[in-house]
Amino acid sequence: MEGVINILKPPGMTSHDVVALLRRLLGEKRIGHCGTLDPEAAGVLPVCVGQATRLADYLSGGDKSYYCEMALGYETDTQDIWGATTWVCPVDTPDPLGEPEKLAEAARSLEGKVMQEAPAYSSVKREGKSLHQYAREGKPITGVMRQVDIRSIRLLDAWPASPASPAPWRDRPVRFIVDCGSGTYVRMICRDMGRKLGCGAAMSSLLRLRVGPFHLDQSVSLDEIKRMKEDGEGFEAVLHPKELALTRMTELHVEDEEALRLRHGQGVWLPGGEAVKPEEGRAWASEAGGRLVALGAYTPGSGDRAGWVFFKPDKTFL
């Protein structure tokens, strides 16, 4: 069994729980998820099966989209509503949603390639140890900054309560969709937006809509996997080709003879050097039918080989 399953992770399960359950249901030990989702979050969790697990890092590093709701009026140590409250906004604070443009401006200020603080409860490492380990030992580490790429924050609910629904602003979640690169923490977007509004905020709901080419409307629930297992069905219908994990990388086609050389660990010159994106530093070779042959690093050609790429395989898929 080999490929990628687009799992709809339910809230209340860790990503590791999902992998453990699938190992039992599929009878396959080689299973790994692509990009951790917090236990209370739900949505797209691509899971690699078989040889596809060797590509998990390439898929988890892809672009992502999230639907998020945030509660206003306080902060917590985990930046979501399930953490311990660390600060409460004074009761006499003016309605931060009274001026819609203020919220829109706060969202815009967080877009782009920006420095974002890593949450104290996160898998980001410091001196070989995850920050959440320090936090659970009572020694939280703050101020660890990393560059992230927040492409857009689209506000879905930015208006004050109407007379027909006079709920105070503290009880009204702000809703938005964020498109971002790998490594972005949406709960930190909530915290930072709350601070810019002057009222504090904590993430109250998170649904991942997309990871790379895998979308929510194409995902399959764990209950559906269980049903397929009980009915004795094969899982081919929910297995996507492993090559989808490489959609962000440059694909270079090879003929049969070149494919054979790559499988034997030999380098080949491949056309298409100008199409290679320099910032990637990676490429993959495909044979007839679009099947993956090898992953490799490339360097631009020179002289009479200008515009060609030297493909040096570091992993082959027989």
Side-chain angles (χ1 to χ4, degrees), residues 65 67 104 133 150 212 288 306 315:
S65 296
Y67 166 81
Q133 293 177 287
I150 301 174
K315 291 182 180 179

Side-chain angles (χ1 to χ4, degrees), residues 73-87:
Y74 63 100
E75 290 188 3
T76 72
D77 60 350
T78 58
Q79 294 78 48
D80 57 37
I81 62 172
W82 299 281
T85 301
T86 57
W87 181 79

Side-chain angles (χ1 to χ4, degrees), residues 63-298:
D63 297 338
K64 301 175 177 66
S65 296
Y66 298 88
Y67 166 81
C68 177
E69 296 183 4
M70 70 177 185
L72 302 177
Y74 63 100
E75 290 188 3
T76 72
D77 60 350
T78 58
Q79 294 78 48
D80 57 37
I81 62 172
W82 299 281
T85 301
T86 57
W87 181 79
V88 177
C89 183
V91 295
D92 58 350
T93 299
D95 182 354
L97 302 182
E99 301 178 28
E101 182 56 30
K102 185 177 180 181
L103 178 58
E105 190 175 299
R108 284 195 297 269
S109 70
L110 297 174
E111 295 177 335
K113 292 184 178 180
V114 298
M115 298 303 293
Q116 183 184 69
E117 182 179 359
Y121 286 88
S122 70
S123 58
V124 174
K125 294 188 180 297
R126 183 73 175 268
E127 297 181 356
K129 190 174 178 180
S130 297
L131 295 186
H132 68 76
Q133 293 177 287
Y134 290 105
R136 291 188 172 89
E137 292 170 358
K139 305 173 184 177
I141 295 178
T142 59
V144 178
M145 307 300 293
R146 304 152 67 242
Q147 187 181 69
V148 297
D149 189 2
I150 301 174
R151 294 179 174 82
S152 68
I153 299 175
R154 290 174 281 162
L155 296 168
L156 302 178
D157 186 352
W159 306 106
S162 67
S165 177
W169 59 266
R170 294 171 183 274
D171 299 332
R172 297 179 57 250
V174 172
R175 302 174 176 89
F176 61 88
I177 291 176
V178 58
D179 295 317
C180 57
S182 178
T184 304
Y185 282 92
V186 181
R187 49 195 161 107
M188 296 306 287
I189 293 178
C190 293
R191 188 207 67 172
D192 293 344
M193 203 181 306
R195 289 185 176 181
K196 289 180 180 294
L197 293 172
C199 63
M203 187 179 75
S204 57
S205 179
L206 186 67
L207 177 66
R208 188 150 67 188
L209 305 175
R210 179 180 67 89
V211 175
F214 296 99
H215 294 255
L216 183 66
D217 59 0
Q218 301 164 339
S219 61
V220 58
S221 70
L222 292 172
D223 286 340
E224 179 65 11
I225 298 292
K226 291 177 184 177
R227 185 199 63 76
M228 295 173 71
K229 172 75 171 181
E230 292 168 356
D231 293 349
E233 297 181 19
F235 298 103
E236 291 77 13
V238 296
L239 276 170
H240 299 274
K242 62 180 181 293
E243 287 79 10
L244 284 178
L246 304 174
T247 53
R248 293 189 309 127
M249 295 171 57
T250 298
E251 177 186 1
L252 301 171
H253 180 72
V254 295
E255 301 300 331
D256 293 344
E257 182 178 343
E258 294 171 319
L260 182 62
R261 290 179 59 190
L262 285 170
R263 287 196 171 98
H264 284 86
Q266 301 173 19
V268 298
W269 286 90
L270 299 176
E274 294 179 356
V276 172
K277 302 177 182 65
E279 66 274 13
E280 290 179 354
R282 314 289 301 166
W284 66 283
S286 64
E287 58 183 343
R291 293 186 300 272
L292 171 65
V293 180
L295 299 177
Y298 61 77

